[in-house]
Amino acid sequence: MTATATPEAPAEVDLGGEARSRRADWGFRALVTAAGLTVLAVLGLILITTSLRASPAFQDEGLIGFVTGTRWAPNDDVFGTFPMLYGTLVTSVIAMLIAVPVSIGIALFITEVAHRRSRKYIVTVIDLLATVPSVVFGLVAVLVVVPAITPAYQWFADLVAPVPGLNAIFDDTNTGRNYFTASLVLAIMAIPIITSIAREVFATVPETDKQAAYALGATRWEMVKGAILPHSFGGLVGASMLGLGRAMGETIAVALVIGGATSMSANLFAPGNTMAAIIAQQWGESSGLHQDALIAIGVELFAITVIINFLARVVVRRAEIKMKGAHS
């Protein structure tokens, strides 16, 4: 006598659980959308509020005159910000020229050379440096760096004095508070940020790409140049942009070491000023149109930062397109 198999009853569909999942997905989507819109709203409110406060200064000088004017004299209600714009760009560019190669080198050492046991200690030190307040860097620069580096400025200025062109760029003024000192401080402050991000970017490079380069007979440097750097280009640009933003927006540390002059000079050993530093220096004693002009400097700095980040995105996009075309 053969036993007949009884068909299994169909599994019940949990419609209530599926509905809860849909509601959870909808709630999560609404939450993250609200968070993104909140950030945009805050940025928009900051821009609108500061622009309204800065409008008297823009109207008094004219937008072009405010940006390109070379005389800053609050007592005479004259507000030309080009010397501060010049100082901001000069110190930031020099800082990046120093910080980016050093940061990439440290990140490569951590990811490709350093022993695993020592990596965590190096990473800890880098992360701790990134959390040090800027005023501490400024005080160390004033108390330690400036007295120690002033003789080096004198020596280098004497060395290049016979060289036409260089003697104007490096003309010693017997003071350690100048564009170049501010650039060094900014570079030291930017290195931990750029290094931390570059290290994470390098860690995303597929191990198979590295091993393939070695299998083709590449040296370590050839592997880095052919496998790691092309893959990490976009991330490195992003890291550099964050470091540049830190450099352009730094206030207290730069205000302590740049000299506080509102004039403009091609001499890197001369005192000067930056847009963020002059706000910190003069805000406490400002009022009326002077205060509106300082707020206008903040608006100008915000606009410059947005433009630089937009250009960086364009550069990264074009570079990625070229790389994809080269690999195809």
Side-chain angles (χ1 to χ4, degrees):
M1 192 174 174
T2 59
T4 58
T6 57
E8 296 182 0
E12 296 183 1
V13 179
D14 187 4
L15 298 178
E18 186 177 351
R20 285 193 298 271
S21 298
R22 285 199 299 267
R23 287 196 297 269
D25 290 341
W26 182 89
F28 176 75
R29 187 182 299 109
L31 181 63
V32 296
T33 302
L37 293 177
T38 300
V39 173
L40 294 177
V42 170
L43 287 176
L45 289 173
I46 291 174
L47 182 60
I48 292 172
T49 304
T50 53
S51 298
L52 291 175
R53 285 293 308 273
S55 59
F58 289 138
Q59 293 173 359
D60 184 75
E61 294 288 335
L63 181 60
I64 302 300
F66 184 82
V67 175
T68 61
T70 57
R71 182 169 178 249
W72 178 271
N75 293 333
D76 299 331
D77 287 340
V78 177
F79 303 102
T81 61
F82 191 75
M84 280 69 74
L85 173 60
Y86 170 81
T88 300
L89 295 178
V90 167
T91 54
S92 300
V93 169
I94 296 175
M96 290 300 99
L97 290 176
I98 298 172
V100 172
V102 173
S103 300
I104 292 176
I106 296 174
L108 286 173
F109 174 78
I110 294 173
T111 56
E112 301 299 327
V113 179
H115 193 274
R116 290 194 175 187
R117 293 181 180 178
S118 60
R119 286 180 187 176
K120 59 181 179 179
Y121 300 108
I122 301 174
V123 171
T124 301
V125 172
I126 295 296
D127 292 340
L128 286 176
L129 284 176
T131 63
V132 175
S134 59
V135 66
V136 175
F137 284 105
L139 290 174
V140 171
V142 170
L143 299 176
V144 180
V145 177
V146 170
I149 206 170
T150 301
Y153 287 157
Q154 179 67 58
W155 171 82
F156 190 77
D158 294 339
L159 181 67
V160 300
V163 182
L166 289 180
N167 54 10
I169 300 176
F170 301 103
D171 183 16
D172 184 60
T173 57
N174 295 320
T175 175
R177 302 186 181 188
N178 50 49
Y179 291 117
F180 198 80
T181 303
S183 301
L184 291 177
V185 174
L186 291 175
I188 294 172
M189 296 175 68
I191 283 173
I193 298 174
I194 302 174
T195 300
S196 297
I197 300 175
R199 176 176 56 84
E200 297 295 335
V201 171
F202 291 153
T204 64
V205 178
E207 188 66 26
T208 54
D209 290 2
K210 302 178 187 178
Q211 296 303 324
Y214 283 133
L216 293 173
T219 62
R220 177 175 287 173
W221 164 242
E222 290 171 341
M223 182 274 295
V224 169
K225 185 173 63 173
I228 295 180
L229 294 182
H231 182 277
S232 309
F233 180 78
L236 292 178
V237 173
S240 301
M241 288 302 103
L242 283 178
L244 180 61
R246 175 72 185 270
M248 293 183 66
E250 182 52 47
T251 54
I252 299 301
V254 175
L256 290 173
V257 299
I258 199 170
T262 55
S263 57
M264 185 172 56
S265 174
N267 179 16
L268 297 181
F269 292 163
N273 223 324
T274 65
M275 302 173 75
I278 198 171
I279 296 175
Q281 293 165 356
Q282 299 187 4
W283 181 263
E285 59 188 25
S286 65
S287 62
L289 190 61
H290 183 194
Q291 192 172 89
D292 295 337
L294 294 176
I295 297 174
I297 290 178
V299 175
E300 183 182 351
L301 183 59
F302 179 82
I304 293 171
T305 304
V306 171
I307 292 172
I308 291 176
N309 278 274
F310 175 77
L311 294 176
R313 287 180 177 272
V314 172
V315 171
V316 171
R317 191 176 298 114
R318 289 186 177 181
E320 289 177 346
I321 292 174
K322 289 182 179 179
M323 288 179 185
K324 289 179 180 178
H327 288 296
S328 61

